[in-house]
Amino acid sequence: QVQLVESGGGLVQAGGSLRLSCAASGRTFRSYAMGWFRQAPGKEREFVAATIWSGANTYYAGSLKGRFTISRDSAKNTVYLQMNTLEPEDTAVYYCAASPKIWTMTDGLEADYWGQGTQVTVSS
């Protein structure tokens, strides 16, 4: 069993930065791929980024690569999403996710475990 708790969301002006954190618990965490999704009001959930268990390989939604960076600290059981040059269109609830296989998230747009979500609001 994996439990995920996000933090770090909030209100930021356009052009600003935020770093989201996701603390994971559960003995199987180290073997799981971790990722981030987001869902804006009235829109479908979309994939943001993911990383394999070691953090050596990372994957991004094409439109976000260059502004967002995913990383993980296995010693702290935590995955991060650094978001720079934020735009009002980035406003959404951001969800941490975990899955034994990264392709579940990058290709299937699904995950085996989800956090409760953290709100990110970017003002213009």
Side-chain angles (χ1 to χ4, degrees):
Q1 186 79 13
V2 174
Q3 293 181 323
L4 308 172
V5 179
E6 303 99 331
S7 62
L11 175 64
V12 63
Q13 289 187 334
S17 299
L18 279 176
R19 188 176 80 156
L20 305 183
S21 299
C22 173
S25 61
R27 62 183 179 88
T28 59
F29 166 75
R30 292 180 184 270
S31 65
Y32 274 59
M34 303 293 296
W36 291 92
F37 289 75
R38 69 184 185 182
Q39 187 166 20
K43 295 187 177 180
E44 294 186 353
R45 183 179 63 205
E46 64 173 338
F47 168 76
V48 173
T51 179
I52 65 172
W53 67 272
S54 69
N57 295 82
T58 56
Y59 303 83
Y60 297 91
S63 61
L64 300 177
K65 192 173 184 178
R67 294 194 299 123
F68 288 16
T69 302
I70 188 171
S71 61
R72 69 190 292 170
D73 185 335
S74 296
K76 296 182 178 180
N77 285 355
T78 301
V79 63
Y80 304 97
L81 184 68
Q82 178 68 42
M83 306 184 293
N84 298 327
T85 319
L86 284 162
E87 305 167 354
E89 293 73 24
D90 295 317
T91 296
V93 177
Y94 283 71
Y95 296 92
C96 181
S99 185
K101 297 186 182 299
I102 196 167
W103 315 118
T104 301
M105 293 186 284
T106 59
D107 293 1
L109 306 182
E110 288 290 345
D112 293 74
Y113 299 98
W114 297 92
Q116 81 287 355
T118 186
Q119 177 70 47
V120 171
T121 303
V122 184
S123 64
S124 57

mmCIF file with all atom_site columns, all heavy atoms in Angstrom, residues 21-47:
data_model
loop_
_atom_site.group_PDB
_atom_site.id
_atom_site.type_symbol
_atom_site.label_atom_id
_atom_site.label_alt_id
_atom_site.label_comp_id
_atom_site.label_asym_id
_atom_site.label_entity_id
_atom_site.label_seq_id
_atom_site.pdbx_PDB_ins_code
_atom_site.Cartn_x
_atom_site.Cartn_y
_atom_site.Cartn_z
_atom_site.occupancy
_atom_site.B_iso_or_equiv
_atom_site.pdbx_formal_charge
_atom_site.auth_seq_id
_atom_site.auth_comp_id
_atom_site.auth_asym_id
_atom_site.auth_atom_id
_atom_site.pdbx_PDB_model_num
ATOM 1   N N   . SER A 1 21 ? 5.474   19.294 -3.296  1.00 0.00 ? 21 SER A N   1
ATOM 2   C CA  . SER A 1 21 ? 6.095   18.120 -2.701  1.00 0.00 ? 21 SER A CA  1
ATOM 3   C C   . SER A 1 21 ? 5.043   17.035 -2.529  1.00 0.00 ? 21 SER A C   1
ATOM 4   O O   . SER A 1 21 ? 3.864   17.328 -2.307  1.00 0.00 ? 21 SER A O   1
ATOM 5   C CB  . SER A 1 21 ? 6.699   18.450 -1.339  1.00 0.00 ? 21 SER A CB  1
ATOM 6   O OG  . SER A 1 21 ? 7.694   19.435 -1.445  1.00 0.00 ? 21 SER A OG  1
ATOM 7   N N   . CYS A 1 22 ? 5.485   15.801 -2.608  1.00 0.00 ? 22 CYS A N   1
ATOM 8   C CA  . CYS A 1 22 ? 4.605   14.658 -2.388  1.00 0.00 ? 22 CYS A CA  1
ATOM 9   C C   . CYS A 1 22 ? 5.343   13.667 -1.499  1.00 0.00 ? 22 CYS A C   1
ATOM 10  O O   . CYS A 1 22 ? 6.335   13.068 -1.915  1.00 0.00 ? 22 CYS A O   1
ATOM 11  C CB  . CYS A 1 22 ? 4.219   14.018 -3.705  1.00 0.00 ? 22 CYS A CB  1
ATOM 12  S SG  . CYS A 1 22 ? 3.283   12.478 -3.542  1.00 0.00 ? 22 CYS A SG  1
ATOM 13  N N   . ALA A 1 23 ? 4.862   13.542 -0.281  1.00 0.00 ? 23 ALA A N   1
ATOM 14  C CA  . ALA A 1 23 ? 5.461   12.606 0.660   1.00 0.00 ? 23 ALA A CA  1
ATOM 15  C C   . ALA A 1 23 ? 4.754   11.264 0.547   1.00 0.00 ? 23 ALA A C   1
ATOM 16  O O   . ALA A 1 23 ? 3.521   11.188 0.652   1.00 0.00 ? 23 ALA A O   1
ATOM 17  C CB  . ALA A 1 23 ? 5.354   13.150 2.081   1.00 0.00 ? 23 ALA A CB  1
ATOM 18  N N   . ALA A 1 24 ? 5.534   10.228 0.335   1.00 0.00 ? 24 ALA A N   1
ATOM 19  C CA  . ALA A 1 24 ? 4.976   8.894  0.148   1.00 0.00 ? 24 ALA A CA  1
ATOM 20  C C   . ALA A 1 24 ? 5.296   8.008  1.337   1.00 0.00 ? 24 ALA A C   1
ATOM 21  O O   . ALA A 1 24 ? 6.368   8.107  1.936   1.00 0.00 ? 24 ALA A O   1
ATOM 22  C CB  . ALA A 1 24 ? 5.534   8.270  -1.114  1.00 0.00 ? 24 ALA A CB  1
ATOM 23  N N   . SER A 1 25 ? 4.363   7.165  1.678   1.00 0.00 ? 25 SER A N   1
ATOM 24  C CA  . SER A 1 25 ? 4.604   6.176  2.722   1.00 0.00 ? 25 SER A CA  1
ATOM 25  C C   . SER A 1 25 ? 4.183   4.815  2.209   1.00 0.00 ? 25 SER A C   1
ATOM 26  O O   . SER A 1 25 ? 3.332   4.704  1.340   1.00 0.00 ? 25 SER A O   1
ATOM 27  C CB  . SER A 1 25 ? 3.828   6.528  3.992   1.00 0.00 ? 25 SER A CB  1
ATOM 28  O OG  . SER A 1 25 ? 2.436   6.540  3.734   1.00 0.00 ? 25 SER A OG  1
ATOM 29  N N   . GLY A 1 26 ? 4.791   3.802  2.745   1.00 0.00 ? 26 GLY A N   1
ATOM 30  C CA  . GLY A 1 26 ? 4.496   2.458  2.258   1.00 0.00 ? 26 GLY A CA  1
ATOM 31  C C   . GLY A 1 26 ? 5.783   1.792  1.844   1.00 0.00 ? 26 GLY A C   1
ATOM 32  O O   . GLY A 1 26 ? 6.625   2.391  1.193   1.00 0.00 ? 26 GLY A O   1
ATOM 33  N N   . ARG A 1 27 ? 5.942   0.589  2.219   1.00 0.00 ? 27 ARG A N   1
ATOM 34  C CA  . ARG A 1 27 ? 7.211   -0.095 2.018   1.00 0.00 ? 27 ARG A CA  1
ATOM 35  C C   . ARG A 1 27 ? 7.548   -0.346 0.571   1.00 0.00 ? 27 ARG A C   1
ATOM 36  O O   . ARG A 1 27 ? 8.692   -0.592 0.239   1.00 0.00 ? 27 ARG A O   1
ATOM 37  C CB  . ARG A 1 27 ? 7.201   -1.422 2.770   1.00 0.00 ? 27 ARG A CB  1
ATOM 38  C CG  . ARG A 1 27 ? 6.131   -2.399 2.293   1.00 0.00 ? 27 ARG A CG  1
ATOM 39  C CD  . ARG A 1 27 ? 6.157   -3.665 3.157   1.00 0.00 ? 27 ARG A CD  1
ATOM 40  N NE  . ARG A 1 27 ? 5.142   -4.620 2.759   1.00 0.00 ? 27 ARG A NE  1
ATOM 41  C CZ  . ARG A 1 27 ? 5.323   -5.531 1.843   1.00 0.00 ? 27 ARG A CZ  1
ATOM 42  N NH1 . ARG A 1 27 ? 6.485   -5.608 1.212   1.00 0.00 ? 27 ARG A NH1 1
ATOM 43  N NH2 . ARG A 1 27 ? 4.355   -6.383 1.544   1.00 0.00 ? 27 ARG A NH2 1
ATOM 44  N N   . THR A 1 28 ? 6.569   -0.242 -0.336  1.00 0.00 ? 28 THR A N   1
ATOM 45  C CA  . THR A 1 28 ? 6.839   -0.518 -1.747  1.00 0.00 ? 28 THR A CA  1
ATOM 46  C C   . THR A 1 28 ? 7.168   0.732  -2.529  1.00 0.00 ? 28 THR A C   1
ATOM 47  O O   . THR A 1 28 ? 7.362   0.668  -3.732  1.00 0.00 ? 28 THR A O   1
ATOM 48  C CB  . THR A 1 28 ? 5.630   -1.195 -2.397  1.00 0.00 ? 28 THR A CB  1
ATOM 49  O OG1 . THR A 1 28 ? 4.488   -0.338 -2.262  1.00 0.00 ? 28 THR A OG1 1
ATOM 50  C CG2 . THR A 1 28 ? 5.345   -2.528 -1.757  1.00 0.00 ? 28 THR A CG2 1
ATOM 51  N N   . PHE A 1 29 ? 7.237   1.891  -1.851  1.00 0.00 ? 29 PHE A N   1
ATOM 52  C CA  . PHE A 1 29 ? 7.430   3.141  -2.562  1.00 0.00 ? 29 PHE A CA  1
ATOM 53  C C   . PHE A 1 29 ? 8.664   3.141  -3.437  1.00 0.00 ? 29 PHE A C   1
ATOM 54  O O   . PHE A 1 29 ? 8.663   3.635  -4.549  1.00 0.00 ? 29 PHE A O   1
ATOM 55  C CB  . PHE A 1 29 ? 7.498   4.299  -1.562  1.00 0.00 ? 29 PHE A CB  1
ATOM 56  C CG  . PHE A 1 29 ? 8.017   5.587  -2.147  1.00 0.00 ? 29 PHE A CG  1
ATOM 57  C CD1 . PHE A 1 29 ? 7.213   6.353  -2.963  1.00 0.00 ? 29 PHE A CD1 1
ATOM 58  C CD2 . PHE A 1 29 ? 9.303   6.029  -1.893  1.00 0.00 ? 29 PHE A CD2 1
ATOM 59  C CE1 . PHE A 1 29 ? 7.675   7.537  -3.517  1.00 0.00 ? 29 PHE A CE1 1
ATOM 60  C CE2 . PHE A 1 29 ? 9.782   7.203  -2.430  1.00 0.00 ? 29 PHE A CE2 1
ATOM 61  C CZ  . PHE A 1 29 ? 8.969   7.976  -3.247  1.00 0.00 ? 29 PHE A CZ  1
ATOM 62  N N   . ARG A 1 30 ? 9.744   2.587  -2.929  1.00 0.00 ? 30 ARG A N   1
ATOM 63  C CA  . ARG A 1 30 ? 11.016  2.681  -3.643  1.00 0.00 ? 30 ARG A CA  1
ATOM 64  C C   . ARG A 1 30 ? 10.986  2.003  -5.010  1.00 0.00 ? 30 ARG A C   1
ATOM 65  O O   . ARG A 1 30 ? 11.808  2.300  -5.867  1.00 0.00 ? 30 ARG A O   1
ATOM 66  C CB  . ARG A 1 30 ? 12.127  2.076  -2.797  1.00 0.00 ? 30 ARG A CB  1
ATOM 67  C CG  . ARG A 1 30 ? 12.426  2.888  -1.539  1.00 0.00 ? 30 ARG A CG  1
ATOM 68  C CD  . ARG A 1 30 ? 13.533  2.270  -0.714  1.00 0.00 ? 30 ARG A CD  1
ATOM 69  N NE  . ARG A 1 30 ? 13.750  3.008  0.520   1.00 0.00 ? 30 ARG A NE  1
ATOM 70  C CZ  . ARG A 1 30 ? 14.591  4.024  0.624   1.00 0.00 ? 30 ARG A CZ  1
ATOM 71  N NH1 . ARG A 1 30 ? 15.297  4.402  -0.417  1.00 0.00 ? 30 ARG A NH1 1
ATOM 72  N NH2 . ARG A 1 30 ? 14.739  4.651  1.771   1.00 0.00 ? 30 ARG A NH2 1
ATOM 73  N N   . SER A 1 31 ? 10.077  1.109  -5.233  1.00 0.00 ? 31 SER A N   1
ATOM 74  C CA  . SER A 1 31 ? 10.025  0.425  -6.521  1.00 0.00 ? 31 SER A CA  1
ATOM 75  C C   . SER A 1 31 ? 8.994   1.030  -7.467  1.00 0.00 ? 31 SER A C   1
ATOM 76  O O   . SER A 1 31 ? 8.840   0.567  -8.591  1.00 0.00 ? 31 SER A O   1
ATOM 77  C CB  . SER A 1 31 ? 9.704   -1.051 -6.308  1.00 0.00 ? 31 SER A CB  1
ATOM 78  O OG  . SER A 1 31 ? 8.398   -1.193 -5.773  1.00 0.00 ? 31 SER A OG  1
ATOM 79  N N   . TYR A 1 32 ? 8.318   2.070  -7.039  1.00 0.00 ? 32 TYR A N   1
ATOM 80  C CA  . TYR A 1 32 ? 7.246   2.648  -7.835  1.00 0.00 ? 32 TYR A CA  1
ATOM 81  C C   . TYR A 1 32 ? 7.743   3.830  -8.670  1.00 0.00 ? 32 TYR A C   1
ATOM 82  O O   . TYR A 1 32 ? 8.591   4.605  -8.239  1.00 0.00 ? 32 TYR A O   1
ATOM 83  C CB  . TYR A 1 32 ? 6.131   3.152  -6.923  1.00 0.00 ? 32 TYR A CB  1
ATOM 84  C CG  . TYR A 1 32 ? 5.125   2.097  -6.555  1.00 0.00 ? 32 TYR A CG  1
ATOM 85  C CD1 . TYR A 1 32 ? 5.508   0.944  -5.892  1.00 0.00 ? 32 TYR A CD1 1
ATOM 86  C CD2 . TYR A 1 32 ? 3.777   2.254  -6.871  1.00 0.00 ? 32 TYR A CD2 1
ATOM 87  C CE1 . TYR A 1 32 ? 4.586   -0.030 -5.567  1.00 0.00 ? 32 TYR A CE1 1
ATOM 88  C CE2 . TYR A 1 32 ? 2.852   1.301  -6.551  1.00 0.00 ? 32 TYR A CE2 1
ATOM 89  C CZ  . TYR A 1 32 ? 3.257   0.162  -5.890  1.00 0.00 ? 32 TYR A CZ  1
ATOM 90  O OH  . TYR A 1 32 ? 2.349   -0.797 -5.571  1.00 0.00 ? 32 TYR A OH  1
ATOM 91  N N   . ALA A 1 33 ? 7.159   3.973  -9.850  1.00 0.00 ? 33 ALA A N   1
ATOM 92  C CA  . ALA A 1 33 ? 7.290   5.211  -10.595 1.00 0.00 ? 33 ALA A CA  1
ATOM 93  C C   . ALA A 1 33 ? 6.354   6.243  -9.972  1.00 0.00 ? 33 ALA A C   1
ATOM 94  O O   . ALA A 1 33 ? 5.290   5.897  -9.468  1.00 0.00 ? 33 ALA A O   1
ATOM 95  C CB  . ALA A 1 33 ? 6.918   4.997  -12.053 1.00 0.00 ? 33 ALA A CB  1
ATOM 96  N N   . MET A 1 34 ? 6.797   7.505  -9.988  1.00 0.00 ? 34 MET A N   1
ATOM 97  C CA  . MET A 1 34 ? 6.007   8.579  -9.388  1.00 0.00 ? 34 MET A CA  1
ATOM 98  C C   . MET A 1 34 ? 5.717   9.638  -10.433 1.00 0.00 ? 34 MET A C   1
ATOM 99  O O   . MET A 1 34 ? 6.528   9.873  -11.332 1.00 0.00 ? 34 MET A O   1
ATOM 100 C CB  . MET A 1 34 ? 6.772   9.208  -8.225  1.00 0.00 ? 34 MET A CB  1
ATOM 101 C CG  . MET A 1 34 ? 7.184   8.235  -7.145  1.00 0.00 ? 34 MET A CG  1
ATOM 102 S SD  . MET A 1 34 ? 5.764   7.566  -6.273  1.00 0.00 ? 34 MET A SD  1
ATOM 103 C CE  . MET A 1 34 ? 5.109   9.043  -5.509  1.00 0.00 ? 34 MET A CE  1
ATOM 104 N N   . GLY A 1 35 ? 4.582   10.276 -10.289 1.00 0.00 ? 35 GLY A N   1
ATOM 105 C CA  . GLY A 1 35 ? 4.247   11.282 -11.283 1.00 0.00 ? 35 GLY A CA  1
ATOM 106 C C   . GLY A 1 35 ? 3.324   12.361 -10.747 1.00 0.00 ? 35 GLY A C   1
ATOM 107 O O   . GLY A 1 35 ? 2.885   12.303 -9.589  1.00 0.00 ? 35 GLY A O   1
ATOM 108 N N   . TRP A 1 36 ? 3.056   13.317 -11.616 1.00 0.00 ? 36 TRP A N   1
ATOM 109 C CA  . TRP A 1 36 ? 2.135   14.399 -11.312 1.00 0.00 ? 36 TRP A CA  1
ATOM 110 C C   . TRP A 1 36 ? 1.125   14.547 -12.449 1.00 0.00 ? 36 TRP A C   1
ATOM 111 O O   . TRP A 1 36 ? 1.488   14.455 -13.627 1.00 0.00 ? 36 TRP A O   1
ATOM 112 C CB  . TRP A 1 36 ? 2.876   15.731 -11.142 1.00 0.00 ? 36 TRP A CB  1
ATOM 113 C CG  . TRP A 1 36 ? 3.739   15.808 -9.932  1.00 0.00 ? 36 TRP A CG  1
ATOM 114 C CD1 . TRP A 1 36 ? 5.058   15.486 -9.841  1.00 0.00 ? 36 TRP A CD1 1
ATOM 115 C CD2 . TRP A 1 36 ? 3.342   16.235 -8.627  1.00 0.00 ? 36 TRP A CD2 1
ATOM 116 N NE1 . TRP A 1 36 ? 5.505   15.681 -8.561  1.00 0.00 ? 36 TRP A NE1 1
ATOM 117 C CE2 . TRP A 1 36 ? 4.476   16.164 -7.798  1.00 0.00 ? 36 TRP A CE2 1
ATOM 118 C CE3 . TRP A 1 36 ? 2.139   16.702 -8.074  1.00 0.00 ? 36 TRP A CE3 1
ATOM 119 C CZ2 . TRP A 1 36 ? 4.452   16.510 -6.440  1.00 0.00 ? 36 TRP A CZ2 1
ATOM 120 C CZ3 . TRP A 1 36 ? 2.106   17.055 -6.733  1.00 0.00 ? 36 TRP A CZ3 1
ATOM 121 C CH2 . TRP A 1 36 ? 3.246   16.957 -5.932  1.00 0.00 ? 36 TRP A CH2 1
ATOM 122 N N   . PHE A 1 37 ? -0.121  14.765 -12.068 1.00 0.00 ? 37 PHE A N   1
ATOM 123 C CA  . PHE A 1 37 ? -1.192  15.085 -12.993 1.00 0.00 ? 37 PHE A CA  1
ATOM 124 C C   . PHE A 1 37 ? -1.828  16.384 -12.519 1.00 0.00 ? 37 PHE A C   1
ATOM 125 O O   . PHE A 1 37 ? -1.597  16.824 -11.404 1.00 0.00 ? 37 PHE A O   1
ATOM 126 C CB  . PHE A 1 37 ? -2.255  13.972 -13.000 1.00 0.00 ? 37 PHE A CB  1
ATOM 127 C CG  . PHE A 1 37 ? -1.803  12.694 -13.649 1.00 0.00 ? 37 PHE A CG  1
ATOM 128 C CD1 . PHE A 1 37 ? -0.929  11.836 -12.989 1.00 0.00 ? 37 PHE A CD1 1
ATOM 129 C CD2 . PHE A 1 37 ? -2.257  12.333 -14.902 1.00 0.00 ? 37 PHE A CD2 1
ATOM 130 C CE1 . PHE A 1 37 ? -0.511  10.644 -13.593 1.00 0.00 ? 37 PHE A CE1 1
ATOM 131 C CE2 . PHE A 1 37 ? -1.859  11.144 -15.506 1.00 0.00 ? 37 PHE A CE2 1
ATOM 132 C CZ  . PHE A 1 37 ? -0.984  10.311 -14.838 1.00 0.00 ? 37 PHE A CZ  1
ATOM 133 N N   . ARG A 1 38 ? -2.645  16.965 -13.377 1.00 0.00 ? 38 ARG A N   1
ATOM 134 C CA  . ARG A 1 38 ? -3.391  18.141 -12.961 1.00 0.00 ? 38 ARG A CA  1
ATOM 135 C C   . ARG A 1 38 ? -4.760  18.147 -13.623 1.00 0.00 ? 38 ARG A C   1
ATOM 136 O O   . ARG A 1 38 ? -4.951  17.550 -14.677 1.00 0.00 ? 38 ARG A O   1
ATOM 137 C CB  . ARG A 1 38 ? -2.639  19.428 -13.290 1.00 0.00 ? 38 ARG A CB  1
ATOM 138 C CG  . ARG A 1 38 ? -2.528  19.731 -14.776 1.00 0.00 ? 38 ARG A CG  1
ATOM 139 C CD  . ARG A 1 38 ? -1.670  20.980 -14.988 1.00 0.00 ? 38 ARG A CD  1
ATOM 140 N NE  . ARG A 1 38 ? -1.629  21.370 -16.401 1.00 0.00 ? 38 ARG A NE  1
ATOM 141 C CZ  . ARG A 1 38 ? -0.915  22.393 -16.863 1.00 0.00 ? 38 ARG A CZ  1
ATOM 142 N NH1 . ARG A 1 38 ? -0.178  23.127 -16.027 1.00 0.00 ? 38 ARG A NH1 1
ATOM 143 N NH2 . ARG A 1 38 ? -0.925  22.679 -18.140 1.00 0.00 ? 38 ARG A NH2 1
ATOM 144 N N   . GLN A 1 39 ? -5.690  18.829 -12.966 1.00 0.00 ? 39 GLN A N   1
ATOM 145 C CA  . GLN A 1 39 ? -7.026  18.956 -13.522 1.00 0.00 ? 39 GLN A CA  1
ATOM 146 C C   . GLN A 1 39 ? -7.544  20.357 -13.261 1.00 0.00 ? 39 GLN A C   1
ATOM 147 O O   . GLN A 1 39 ? -7.662  20.772 -12.110 1.00 0.00 ? 39 GLN A O   1
ATOM 148 C CB  . GLN A 1 39 ? -7.978  17.920 -12.931 1.00 0.00 ? 39 GLN A CB  1
ATOM 149 C CG  . GLN A 1 39 ? -9.337  17.909 -13.606 1.00 0.00 ? 39 GLN A CG  1
ATOM 150 C CD  . GLN A 1 39 ? -10.154 16.683 -13.250 1.00 0.00 ? 39 GLN A CD  1
ATOM 151 O OE1 . GLN A 1 39 ? -9.911  16.009 -12.254 1.00 0.00 ? 39 GLN A OE1 1
ATOM 152 N NE2 . GLN A 1 39 ? -11.120 16.354 -14.096 1.00 0.00 ? 39 GLN A NE2 1
ATOM 153 N N   . ALA A 1 40 ? -7.820  21.057 -14.337 1.00 0.00 ? 40 ALA A N   1
ATOM 154 C CA  . ALA A 1 40 ? -8.382  22.398 -14.248 1.00 0.00 ? 40 ALA A CA  1
ATOM 155 C C   . ALA A 1 40 ? -9.910  22.307 -14.268 1.00 0.00 ? 40 ALA A C   1
ATOM 156 O O   . ALA A 1 40 ? -10.471 21.325 -14.771 1.00 0.00 ? 40 ALA A O   1
ATOM 157 C CB  . ALA A 1 40 ? -7.889  23.250 -15.407 1.00 0.00 ? 40 ALA A CB  1
ATOM 158 N N   . PRO A 1 41 ? -10.590 23.323 -13.742 1.00 0.00 ? 41 PRO A N   1
ATOM 159 C CA  . PRO A 1 41 ? -12.061 23.303 -13.723 1.00 0.00 ? 41 PRO A CA  1
ATOM 160 C C   . PRO A 1 41 ? -12.630 23.123 -15.127 1.00 0.00 ? 41 PRO A C   1
ATOM 161 O O   . PRO A 1 41 ? -12.226 23.816 -16.068 1.00 0.00 ? 41 PRO A O   1
ATOM 162 C CB  . PRO A 1 41 ? -12.422 24.674 -13.152 1.00 0.00 ? 41 PRO A CB  1
ATOM 163 C CG  . PRO A 1 41 ? -11.236 25.069 -12.347 1.00 0.00 ? 41 PRO A CG  1
ATOM 164 C CD  . PRO A 1 41 ? -10.046 24.517 -13.076 1.00 0.00 ? 41 PRO A CD  1
ATOM 165 N N   . GLY A 1 42 ? -13.539 22.173 -15.265 1.00 0.00 ? 42 GLY A N   1
ATOM 166 C CA  . GLY A 1 42 ? -14.186 21.947 -16.550 1.00 0.00 ? 42 GLY A CA  1
ATOM 167 C C   . GLY A 1 42 ? -13.352 21.216 -17.563 1.00 0.00 ? 42 GLY A C   1
ATOM 168 O O   . GLY A 1 42 ? -13.778 21.051 -18.717 1.00 0.00 ? 42 GLY A O   1
ATOM 169 N N   . LYS A 1 43 ? -12.162 20.768 -17.172 1.00 0.00 ? 43 LYS A N   1
ATOM 170 C CA  . LYS A 1 43 ? -11.278 20.078 -18.110 1.00 0.00 ? 43 LYS A CA  1
ATOM 171 C C   . LYS A 1 43 ? -10.954 18.683 -17.601 1.00 0.00 ? 43 LYS A C   1
ATOM 172 O O   . LYS A 1 43 ? -11.092 18.389 -16.415 1.00 0.00 ? 43 LYS A O   1
ATOM 173 C CB  . LYS A 1 43 ? -9.996  20.883 -18.320 1.00 0.00 ? 43 LYS A CB  1
ATOM 174 C CG  . LYS A 1 43 ? -10.216 22.228 -18.995 1.00 0.00 ? 43 LYS A CG  1
ATOM 175 C CD  . LYS A 1 43 ? -8.896  22.894 -19.316 1.00 0.00 ? 43 LYS A CD  1
ATOM 176 C CE  . LYS A 1 43 ? -9.102  24.209 -20.056 1.00 0.00 ? 43 LYS A CE  1
ATOM 177 N NZ  . LYS A 1 43 ? -7.801  24.867 -20.386 1.00 0.00 ? 43 LYS A NZ  1
ATOM 178 N N   . GLU A 1 44 ? -10.487 17.852 -18.513 1.00 0.00 ? 44 GLU A N   1
ATOM 179 C CA  . GLU A 1 44 ? -10.087 16.511 -18.129 1.00 0.00 ? 44 GLU A CA  1
ATOM 180 C C   . GLU A 1 44 ? -8.732  16.537 -17.424 1.00 0.00 ? 44 GLU A C   1
ATOM 181 O O   . GLU A 1 44 ? -7.926  17.451 -17.619 1.00 0.00 ? 44 GLU A O   1
ATOM 182 C CB  . GLU A 1 44 ? -10.006 15.612 -19.368 1.00 0.00 ? 44 GLU A CB  1
ATOM 183 C CG  . GLU A 1 44 ? -11.354 15.368 -20.031 1.00 0.00 ? 44 GLU A CG  1
ATOM 184 C CD  . GLU A 1 44 ? -11.254 14.367 -21.169 1.00 0.00 ? 44 GLU A CD  1
ATOM 185 O OE1 . GLU A 1 44 ? -10.128 13.971 -21.521 1.00 0.00 ? 44 GLU A OE1 1
ATOM 186 O OE2 . GLU A 1 44 ? -12.311 13.980 -21.684 1.00 0.00 ? 44 GLU A OE2 1
ATOM 187 N N   . ARG A 1 45 ? -8.499  15.518 -16.651 1.00 0.00 ? 45 ARG A N   1
ATOM 188 C CA  . ARG A 1 45 ? -7.202  15.363 -16.000 1.00 0.00 ? 45 ARG A CA  1
ATOM 189 C C   . ARG A 1 45 ? -6.122  15.163 -17.062 1.00 0.00 ? 45 ARG A C   1
ATOM 190 O O   . ARG A 1 45 ? -6.331  14.454 -18.037 1.00 0.00 ? 45 ARG A O   1
ATOM 191 C CB  . ARG A 1 45 ? -7.243  14.167 -15.059 1.00 0.00 ? 45 ARG A CB  1
ATOM 192 C CG  . ARG A 1 45 ? -5.980  13.935 -14.266 1.00 0.00 ? 45 ARG A CG  1
ATOM 193 C CD  . ARG A 1 45 ? -6.178  12.740 -13.357 1.00 0.00 ? 45 ARG A CD  1
ATOM 194 N NE  . ARG A 1 45 ? -6.416  11.516 -14.111 1.00 0.00 ? 45 ARG A NE  1
ATOM 195 C CZ  . ARG A 1 45 ? -7.068  10.473 -13.626 1.00 0.00 ? 45 ARG A CZ  1
ATOM 196 N NH1 . ARG A 1 45 ? -7.559  10.503 -12.417 1.00 0.00 ? 45 ARG A NH1 1
ATOM 197 N NH2 . ARG A 1 45 ? -7.230  9.389  -14.378 1.00 0.00 ? 45 ARG A NH2 1
ATOM 198 N N   . GLU A 1 46 ? -4.973  15.783 -16.865 1.00 0.00 ? 46 GLU A N   1
ATOM 199 C CA  . GLU A 1 46 ? -3.895  15.640 -17.827 1.00 0.00 ? 46 GLU A CA  1
ATOM 200 C C   . GLU A 1 46 ? -2.585  15.281 -17.129 1.00 0.00 ? 46 GLU A C   1
ATOM 201 O O   . GLU A 1 46 ? -2.329  15.670 -15.984 1.00 0.00 ? 46 GLU A O   1
ATOM 202 C CB  . GLU A 1 46 ? -3.709  16.914 -18.654 1.00 0.00 ? 46 GLU A CB  1
ATOM 203 C CG  . GLU A 1 46 ? -3.281  18.137 -17.892 1.00 0.00 ? 46 GLU A CG  1
ATOM 204 C CD  . GLU A 1 46 ? -2.965  19.304 -18.808 1.00 0.00 ? 46 GLU A CD  1
ATOM 205 O OE1 . GLU A 1 46 ? -2.672  19.093 -20.004 1.00 0.00 ? 46 GLU A OE1 1
ATOM 206 O OE2 . GLU A 1 46 ? -3.010  20.447 -18.312 1.00 0.00 ? 46 GLU A OE2 1
ATOM 207 N N   . PHE A 1 47 ? -1.782  14.542 -17.849 1.00 0.00 ? 47 PHE A N   1
ATOM 208 C CA  . PHE A 1 47 ? -0.470  14.136 -17.360 1.00 0.00 ? 47 PHE A CA  1
ATOM 209 C C   . PHE A 1 47 ? 0.464   15.338 -17.359 1.00 0.00 ? 47 PHE A C   1
ATOM 210 O O   . PHE A 1 47 ? 0.453   16.149 -18.299 1.00 0.00 ? 47 PHE A O   1
ATOM 211 C CB  . PHE A 1 47 ? 0.081   13.029 -18.260 1.00 0.00 ? 47 PHE A CB  1
ATOM 212 C CG  . PHE A 1 47 ? 1.520   12.707 -18.042 1.00 0.00 ? 47 PHE A CG  1
ATOM 213 C CD1 . PHE A 1 47 ? 1.907   11.960 -16.935 1.00 0.00 ? 47 PHE A CD1 1
ATOM 214 C CD2 . PHE A 1 47 ? 2.495   13.150 -18.915 1.00 0.00 ? 47 PHE A CD2 1
ATOM 215 C CE1 . PHE A 1 47 ? 3.237   11.647 -16.731 1.00 0.00 ? 47 PHE A CE1 1
ATOM 216 C CE2 . PHE A 1 47 ? 3.824   12.851 -18.716 1.00 0.00 ? 47 PHE A CE2 1
ATOM 217 C CZ  . PHE A 1 47 ? 4.193   12.097 -17.618 1.00 0.00 ? 47 PHE A CZ  1
#
